[in-house]
Amino acid sequence: FGGGQERGRRAGTEAVPNIVAMGEAAQIWLDQGGAIQAHATAMRDRLRRGLVAELGDDWTTAVNGPLGGDDPGGALPNVLSFAVDGIRASDVLATLGDRVAASASAACHTGSTSISAVLKAL
């Protein structure tokens, strides 16, 4: 239970608004999660098809990781990792601007110009 300053009666002050918000988020996911996941998967697959259509034969293009679709063991529905030989990631990011949420490295490797051990392991 609580500490000495609380005479053993209270464990602490809970962040009630945060607890309520988490419950609401869980309810939204229960109500709409399937549709949200299906939409994210469709958007990811559309982007992948567009990349392959535009760069496929002219470049060495690698789309990293499995394509999920209905496979529960597949890729996350909202993540697409790809590489194109001869194009720097910084150039891709500059071209995309704020139209697509993108990163040139893993979040745990921010600030470095070398390949992330996390991405290399994938």
Side-chain angles (χ1 to χ4, degrees):
F1 289 88
Q5 79 278 11
E6 297 167 335
R7 295 179 182 82
R9 290 185 282 190
R10 280 185 10 173
T13 303
E14 288 76 19
V16 175
N18 293 353
I19 294 168
V20 171
M22 185 63 167
E24 183 65 21
Q27 187 61 55
I28 290 170
W29 182 255
L30 286 174
D31 295 342
Q32 303 173 23
I36 293 168
Q37 187 170 356
H39 177 71
T41 299
M43 297 288 286
R44 181 207 60 214
D45 292 347
R46 178 179 174 194
L47 177 58
R48 180 192 183 276
R49 285 190 305 274
L51 286 168
V52 170
E54 290 294 321
L55 304 173
D57 292 334
D58 297 333
W59 302 89
T60 303
T61 306
V63 178
N64 307 315
L67 283 180
D70 294 328
D71 176 10
L76 291 171
N78 61 326
V79 175
L80 177 66
S81 175
F82 70 95
V84 180
D85 280 349
I87 298 179
R88 296 184 327 192
S90 59
D91 294 338
V92 172
L93 293 176
T95 301
L96 290 174
D98 62 357
R99 294 177 292 169
V100 175
S103 172
S105 66
C108 59
H109 209 252
T110 301
S112 176
T113 57
S114 63
I115 296 174
S116 160
V118 173
L119 292 178
K120 193 180 271 189
L122 294 174

